[in-house]
């Protein structure tokens, strides 16, 4: 179970924007607590539902009404929307819950920020690859998209390659293959993780990974942020890595804007969204000064950079979406304020990554918050006693701190201090997380 929260109390003085409106939020995941706090602060009545009891669902703990209904129980949720005359349904960054929210909105005649065809164009890796080719967005060479590749198709592959499901996130079902002898197992792994049993086999591109977020406001698209991803591997060998830190702005932002940004803007504009957020993920090869875009999403990524963006620029795509769902429009079009350079600040997410085990204790959180004003929020993603998987996906992340600093050097110093104060142990009081070298964040 994921536990999100730490910063931000419920505003006590309600304004009038959402008075009389009712919002149903599906589940507690990254972004859920922020959505509840914002909607309530503007006068909305917020309902939260998921399968978990209130004690394991932070969004429920601050909601006006809560229900123990699975977010997959479409029929019961549809009745709930009609019975309570709910005005909008939304979710955090969860792909499953967002799709459920969109389907429920369509069934009940409510507004949503995307339709299913727009979602599939971006979220399906095969469809997105086709869009990249259409709009000249640099992307990996693709050897196969579909199900059950033939021997003839496999013989055309040039190694190394990455094999992954077309419809799965969180680094699930992904394998790196250096030799033909590894491809069949990689295909099975990807197919098992895919709901559609469709996979993509693509060129493995070396480089430094990044994520860029774009905000859509009243049909206009702007680049809001771009980060450096600092990876760490849980296991040896050719396995996917986990983001130990994400730091904004990235060190190659000038080259990204010069080479890639204009074509990505055209790609997103082709979706014809009124309001929303789109992230893209890719790699930058400094030796060749080239980019390779391999994935995208019609949602906020898990690092939720709106928390930084609002503090440095005054814009917040999550709030824009809530406004649109409840009001039908975005009141303030602040698209001109977007500044992916973060107005000279350095922002970042510092993660504590586990090699697997039982979460026994977490200490030092209060010390960090009291001693380091640069730390603006945190996420605890597991309850004490939870079993942390032994894998190579984003489920290895136990805890995250959000840091807003004056410079990259000061971010590094803050990370060093966090490391000295903060500890996560297993049930036998052994360190549960991988060590890291914060000096690498300067590169």
């Amino acid at each position: 179970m994921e536990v999100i929260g730490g910063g931000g109390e419920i505003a006590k003085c309600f304004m009038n924007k959402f008075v009389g409106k009712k919002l149903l939020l599906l589940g507690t995941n990254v972004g859920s607590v922020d959505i509840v706090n914002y909607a309530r602060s503007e006068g909305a009545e917020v309902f939260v539902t998921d399968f978990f009891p209130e004690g394991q669902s932070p969004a429920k703990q601050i909601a006006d009404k809560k229900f123990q209904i699975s977010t997959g129980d479409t029929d019961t949720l549809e009745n709930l929307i009609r019975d309570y005359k709910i005005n909008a349904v939304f979710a955090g960054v969860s792909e499953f819950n967002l799709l459920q929210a969109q389907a429920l909105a369509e069934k009940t005649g409510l507004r949503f920020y995307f339709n299913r065809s727009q979602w599939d164009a971006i979220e399906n890796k095969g469809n997105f690859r086709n869009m990249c080719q259409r709009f000249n967005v640099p992307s990996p060479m693709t050897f196969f998209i579909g199900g059950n590749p033939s021997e003839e198709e496999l013989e055309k592959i040039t190694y190394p390659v990455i094999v992954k499901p077309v419809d799965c996130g969180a680094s699930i079902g992904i394998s790196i293959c250096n030799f033909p002898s590894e491809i069949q197992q990689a295909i099975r792994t990807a197919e098992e993780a895919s709901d559609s049993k469709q996979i993509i086999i693509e060129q493995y591109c070396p480089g430094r990974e990044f994520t860029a977020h774009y905000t859509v406001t009243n049909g206009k698209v702007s680049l809001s942020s771009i980060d450096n991803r600092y990876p760490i591997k849980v296991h040896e060998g050719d396995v996917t890595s986990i983001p130990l830190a994400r730091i904004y702005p990235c060190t190659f932002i000038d080259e990204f804007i010069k080479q890639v940004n204009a074509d990505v803007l055209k790609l997103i504009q082709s979706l014809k969204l009124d309001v929303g957020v789109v992230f893209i993920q890719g790699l930058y090869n400094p030796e060749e000064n080239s980019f390779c875009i391999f994935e995208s999403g019609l949602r906020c990524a898990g690092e939720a950079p709106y928390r930084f963006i609002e503090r440095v620029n005054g814009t917040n795509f999550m709030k824009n979406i809530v406004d649109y769902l409840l009001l039908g429009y975005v009141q303030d079009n602040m698209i001109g304020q977007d500044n992916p350079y973060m107005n000279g600040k350095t922002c970042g997410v510092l993660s504590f990554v586990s090699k697997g085990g039982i979460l026994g204790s977490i200490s030092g959180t209060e010390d960090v918050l009291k001693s380091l004003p640069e730390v603006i929020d945190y996420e605890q993603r597991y309850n004490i006693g939870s079993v942390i998987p032994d894998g190579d996906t984003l489920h290895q992340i136990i805890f995250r701190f959000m840091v807003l600093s004056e410079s990259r050097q000061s971010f590094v110093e803050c990370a060093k201090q966090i490391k000295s104060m903060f500890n996560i142990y297993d049930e036998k009081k052994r360190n549960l997380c991988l060590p890291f070298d914060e000096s690498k964040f300067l590169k």
Side-chain angles (χ1 to χ4, degrees):
M1 171 58 193
E2 191 173 44
V3 180
I4 311 297
E9 296 182 357
I10 300 172
K12 295 181 180 179
C13 297
F14 286 175
M15 297 176 66
N16 297 319
K17 184 158 58 172
F18 299 149
V19 168
K21 301 291 186 180
K22 298 177 182 179
L23 173 68
L24 173 62
L25 190 73
L26 304 185
T28 289
N29 56 79
V30 175
S32 299
V33 168
D34 296 328
I35 293 167
V36 175
N37 280 333
Y38 173 61
R40 292 196 68 211
S41 73
E42 295 287 355
E45 184 178 10
V46 180
F47 300 59
V48 174
T49 183
D50 57 35
F51 181 76
F52 299 98
E54 183 175 338
Q56 297 178 19
S57 180
K60 281 183 177 178
Q61 295 169 23
I62 56 174
D64 296 292
K65 289 185 174 63
K66 61 275 298 185
F67 303 89
Q68 195 165 344
I69 305 170
S70 169
T71 58
D73 189 348
T74 304
D75 292 339
T76 303
L77 291 173
E78 182 179 349
N79 291 333
L80 183 74
I81 290 170
R82 297 187 190 281
D83 291 345
Y84 282 88
K85 295 181 172 53
I86 286 170
N87 303 101
V89 56
F90 195 28
V93 307
S94 163
E95 291 178 319
F96 178 82
N97 287 342
L98 280 170
L99 276 177
Q100 281 294 96
Q102 186 275 328
L104 285 165
E106 187 172 326
K107 282 176 174 288
T108 56
L110 300 179
R111 188 182 303 108
F112 208 68
Y113 77 94
F114 64 78
N115 60 41
R116 187 57 191 260
S117 64
Q118 291 167 328
W119 174 273
D120 288 342
I122 283 289
E123 291 276 348
N124 181 284
K125 295 176 178 63
N127 293 341
F128 178 65
R129 186 60 41 78
N130 292 333
M131 289 189 73
C132 286
Q133 293 171 356
R134 176 183 169 195
F135 288 96
N136 299 313
V137 174
S139 56
M141 180 184 298
T142 305
F143 297 103
F144 178 79
I145 301 175
N148 194 25
S150 67
E151 288 297 326
E152 183 179 354
E153 289 167 322
L154 294 179
E155 288 175 359
K156 296 178 181 179
I157 292 175
T158 302
Y159 293 84
V161 294
I162 290 183
V163 183
K164 52 191 175 184
V166 300
D167 51 3
C168 196
S171 299
I172 296 171
I174 297 177
S175 302
I176 300 170
C177 298
N178 289 298
F179 305 102
S181 59
E182 300 168 331
I183 195 73
Q184 291 296 343
Q185 179 57 53
I187 290 171
R188 286 193 291 271
T189 299
E191 287 178 341
E192 288 172 1
S194 171
D195 289 337
S196 64
K197 304 305 176 186
Q198 302 286 298
I199 66 169
I200 183 169
I201 303 174
E202 66 187 24
Q203 168 194 14
Y204 175 78
C205 297
R208 303 183 62 190
E209 191 172 336
F210 65 89
T211 299
H213 279 79
Y214 288 82
T215 298
V216 184
T217 309
N218 297 332
K220 298 179 181 178
V221 186
S222 64
L223 175 62
S224 300
S225 68
I226 179 170
D227 64 26
N228 286 109
R229 178 187 190 267
Y230 292 90
I232 190 169
K233 287 187 177 181
V234 179
H235 298 97
E236 297 295 327
D238 291 322
V239 296
T240 54
S241 59
I242 312 301
L244 173 64
R246 290 190 177 271
I247 303 179
Y248 313 74
C250 78
T251 54
F252 42 83
I253 183 173
D254 291 339
E255 284 302 320
F256 178 85
I257 291 174
K258 178 181 177 181
Q259 295 187 39
V260 182
N261 187 52
D263 290 326
V264 175
L265 287 172
K266 293 176 184 176
L267 185 155
I268 297 172
Q269 286 169 344
S270 75
L271 295 172
K272 301 188 182 303
L273 297 164
D274 291 323
V275 173
V277 57
V278 175
F279 76 82
I280 65 163
Q281 289 181 308
L283 293 152
Y284 172 66
N285 187 331
E287 294 181 1
E288 299 181 359
N289 188 24
S290 63
F291 288 87
C292 185
I293 311 301
F294 58 82
E295 196 161 326
S296 184
L298 188 41
R299 58 185 175 84
C300 175
E303 57 270 22
Y306 60 79
R307 292 175 286 203
F308 304 120
I309 295 168
E310 182 171 32
R311 287 175 181 259
V312 299
N313 298 335
T315 62
N316 187 318
F317 50 72
M318 180 274 289
K319 290 183 178 179
N320 283 359
I321 294 173
V322 175
D323 285 359
Y324 179 75
L325 297 182
L326 286 172
L327 302 175
Y329 59 92
V330 178
Q331 282 190 326
D332 298 315
N333 184 358
M334 298 185 291
I335 194 166
Q337 294 180 216
D338 252 345
N339 184 331
Y341 290 91
M342 312 307 281
N343 278 324
K345 304 291 185 181
T346 295
C347 312
V349 179
L350 178 67
S351 298
F352 284 78
V353 179
S354 171
K355 49 200 170 187
I358 299 174
L359 179 55
S361 65
I362 296 176
S363 64
T365 308
E366 292 303 318
D367 292 336
V368 169
L369 297 176
K370 289 178 181 178
S371 304
L372 301 172
E374 301 98 324
V375 177
I376 61 172
D377 209 342
Y378 71 84
E379 296 173 4
Q380 180 181 328
R381 299 167 70 87
Y382 289 95
N383 291 319
I384 302 301
S386 297
V387 177
I388 313 301
D390 179 12
D392 297 291
T393 74
L394 298 182
H395 296 304
Q396 306 308 128
I397 296 174
I398 297 178
F399 206 100
R400 279 173 163 170
F401 286 105
M402 290 76 202
V403 179
L404 176 56
S405 299
E406 292 297 319
S407 67
R408 193 167 280 247
Q409 180 64 54
S410 61
F411 178 92
V412 170
E413 290 300 319
C414 184
K416 183 177 181 180
Q417 293 182 65
I418 290 173
K419 188 169 69 172
S420 69
M421 293 185 234
F422 184 75
N423 293 287
I424 298 178
Y425 298 110
D426 67 11
E427 79 283 11
K428 296 181 179 179
K429 299 192 180 302
R430 297 173 299 194
N431 195 328
L432 194 55
C433 292
L434 301 173
F436 62 87
D437 179 4
E438 66 278 357
S439 67
K440 293 181 179 180
F441 301 157
L442 291 171
K443 299 177 182 179

